Amino acid sequence: MTCETLTADDAALLFTWYDRHHRDLPWRVSPPMARQGVVADPYHVWLSEVMLQQTTVQAVKAYFDKFLRLWPTVEDLAAADTDDVMKAWAGLGYYARARNLKKCAEVVARGHGGRFPDTEEGLKALPGVGAYTAAAIAAIAFNRRSAVLDGNVERVISRLYAIETPLPAAKTEMRQRVSRLTPADRPGDFAQAMMDLGATICTPKRPTCALCPFRMKCMALSSAVPETFPIKAAKKEKPVRLGAAFVAIDGADAVYLRKRPETGLLGGMTEVPGTDWSARRDGETSVDARPFVAPWESCGTITHVFTHFELRLSVYRANVADAPPAVGGWWEPIASLKRQALPTVMKKAIAKAIPHAFKPG
């Protein structure tokens, strides 16, 4: 048995399951809320979808709440200082998203009167909004019949059809199948139901197939091999890059910080001085690369994994009673480091040199 087309009865089974077992998420209009007349806020949907790119729901919840407290509307976010946005984003990773988030808010506020476009094509014209995000916003915020394909939906679709083509090559076929499966009625709820099905039932390991509303039509289940899907192409081994980080502390318990260039990896974020490493090349690792003369001492090495490479930084610390002039940077009290736009890799480097830097109290 196959599921080449999703019948009204099949959609009803999925909606029945979703109405009972949906996840309650801070950006979501749940089925009970919808029945009471609550409608999705496009700003909330867009903000959550950008944050959820390459990031877990659990990690995003606190950041979503923080952003809404600081900037309740897209106009508020558009008017915010970029440095404040980067500080609020710090720790969430993939920092180009934060820069595009600010640019997109400005375009929506100034070019669209604070209203998000309600079509996929219109949404894709916004900064930082790709095909998936545009489809998700169109479906969830505007109830457009859009093919929404995230990692959870990929897993559900690959198992329903036992798709043998490895990812990422299989994405085109998956998107076509999702497009055919999406009903005209409640397409936003259908997209979210498929996401929830993948997140809670059709999980990567030990899926609870007995509870799945599609169990009678799942080709992978009928072959007793659901966990083998989706098939993924062999991953290339990540290259290891080397560099150094220098943590200087003055007599007032302040750390020397500077801002990275606006473009490139970690663009616009705050850092301690370091060597010129990148995804394609190593930086210097010895104390000879120090930013200024001081009694530098080795604190060991930290490791941080980026999407395409692993970085190993040799960390050095120096206590400087007479702090040199803050040329191109500033001295930040240790007590306020948490409020700076420090990416995780820089927090690791500072914590290696100052173990108490980010601990409560």
Side-chain angles (χ1 to χ4, degrees), residues 68-216:
L68 285 192
R69 286 197 306 271
L70 293 170
W71 305 293
T73 68
V74 70
E75 291 90 348
D76 294 327
L77 182 57
D81 185 274
T82 299
D83 285 344
D84 290 337
V85 175
M86 300 304 286
K87 289 176 184 179
W89 191 276
L92 198 55
Y94 300 91
Y95 295 98
R97 293 182 299 169
R99 296 194 295 274
N100 283 327
L101 191 83
K102 180 67 165 64
K103 293 176 184 176
C104 184
E106 292 170 352
V107 170
V108 171
R110 298 166 189 172
H112 296 273
R115 294 179 177 273
F116 282 83
D118 62 0
T119 65
E120 285 188 66
E121 289 307 311
L123 289 161
K124 282 192 286 188
L126 298 175
V129 177
Y132 162 75
T133 305
I137 297 170
I140 298 168
F142 301 108
N143 224 26
R144 297 283 187 181
R145 190 175 177 273
S146 300
V148 181
L149 186 71
D150 74 346
N152 287 316
V153 180
E154 286 176 359
R155 190 162 53 253
V156 173
I157 289 296
S158 70
R159 291 172 178 176
L160 274 174
Y161 293 101
I163 295 174
E164 298 283 352
T165 306
L167 285 168
K171 284 181 179 287
T172 299
E173 178 185 353
M174 290 180 177
R175 188 170 292 107
Q176 290 171 348
R177 291 189 179 276
V178 171
S179 181
R180 289 197 292 269
L181 292 176
T182 302
D185 183 43
R186 297 177 66 186
D189 278 352
F190 180 83
Q192 293 177 107
M194 291 287 279
M195 293 176 187
D196 283 12
L197 191 65
T200 63
I201 298 294
C202 197
T203 51
K205 302 292 184 183
R206 297 183 181 179
T208 51
C209 300
L211 301 179
C212 179
F214 291 149
R215 62 187 177 277
M216 300 304 294

Side-chain angles (χ1 to χ4, degrees), residues 76-360:
D76 294 327
L77 182 57
D81 185 274
T82 299
D83 285 344
D84 290 337
V85 175
M86 300 304 286
K87 289 176 184 179
W89 191 276
L92 198 55
Y94 300 91
Y95 295 98
R97 293 182 299 169
R99 296 194 295 274
N100 283 327
L101 191 83
K102 180 67 165 64
K103 293 176 184 176
C104 184
E106 292 170 352
V107 170
V108 171
R110 298 166 189 172
H112 296 273
R115 294 179 177 273
F116 282 83
D118 62 0
T119 65
E120 285 188 66
E121 289 307 311
L123 289 161
K124 282 192 286 188
L126 298 175
V129 177
Y132 162 75
T133 305
I137 297 170
I140 298 168
F142 301 108
N143 224 26
R144 297 283 187 181
R145 190 175 177 273
S146 300
V148 181
L149 186 71
D150 74 346
N152 287 316
V153 180
E154 286 176 359
R155 190 162 53 253
V156 173
I157 289 296
S158 70
R159 291 172 178 176
L160 274 174
Y161 293 101
I163 295 174
E164 298 283 352
T165 306
L167 285 168
K171 284 181 179 287
T172 299
E173 178 185 353
M174 290 180 177
R175 188 170 292 107
Q176 290 171 348
R177 291 189 179 276
V178 171
S179 181
R180 289 197 292 269
L181 292 176
T182 302
D185 183 43
R186 297 177 66 186
D189 278 352
F190 180 83
Q192 293 177 107
M194 291 287 279
M195 293 176 187
D196 283 12
L197 191 65
T200 63
I201 298 294
C202 197
T203 51
K205 302 292 184 183
R206 297 183 181 179
T208 51
C209 300
L211 301 179
C212 179
F214 291 149
R215 62 187 177 277
M216 300 304 294
K217 289 195 173 184
C218 180
M219 295 176 67
L221 179 59
S222 68
S223 303
V225 288
E227 286 188 41
T228 62
F229 295 94
I231 296 172
K232 298 181 180 180
K235 289 185 178 180
K236 295 181 180 179
E237 187 173 347
K238 290 184 178 182
V240 175
R241 299 300 179 209
L242 305 176
F246 297 89
V247 182
I249 309 164
D250 71 4
D253 270 351
V255 176
Y256 184 71
L257 301 177
R258 63 188 188 186
K259 186 176 179 181
R260 291 178 64 85
E262 291 295 335
T263 58
L265 186 64
L266 307 179
M269 301 299 288
T270 301
E271 66 172 1
V272 294
T275 55
D276 191 22
W277 52 265
S278 74
R280 295 180 176 84
R281 65 177 181 273
D282 294 336
E284 292 291 330
T285 60
S286 75
V287 72
D288 294 336
R290 61 192 181 276
F292 46 77
V293 176
W296 296 101
E297 297 180 351
S298 174
C299 299
T301 303
I302 62 106
T303 299
H304 185 76
V305 179
F306 290 95
T307 304
H308 302 297
F309 70 103
E310 177 182 309
L311 176 65
R312 296 175 187 172
L313 289 179
S314 299
V315 180
Y316 299 90
R317 166 180 169 149
N319 289 83
V320 287
D322 297 319
V327 179
W330 70 95
W331 292 90
E332 185 69 35
I334 292 175
S336 60
L337 285 175
K338 293 180 182 178
R339 296 195 291 273
Q340 299 305 304
L342 288 161
T344 301
V345 63
M346 293 301 157
K347 288 181 179 178
K348 287 182 180 179
I350 293 172
K352 189 71 175 178
I354 314 171
H356 65 277
F358 299 101
K359 291 182 179 179

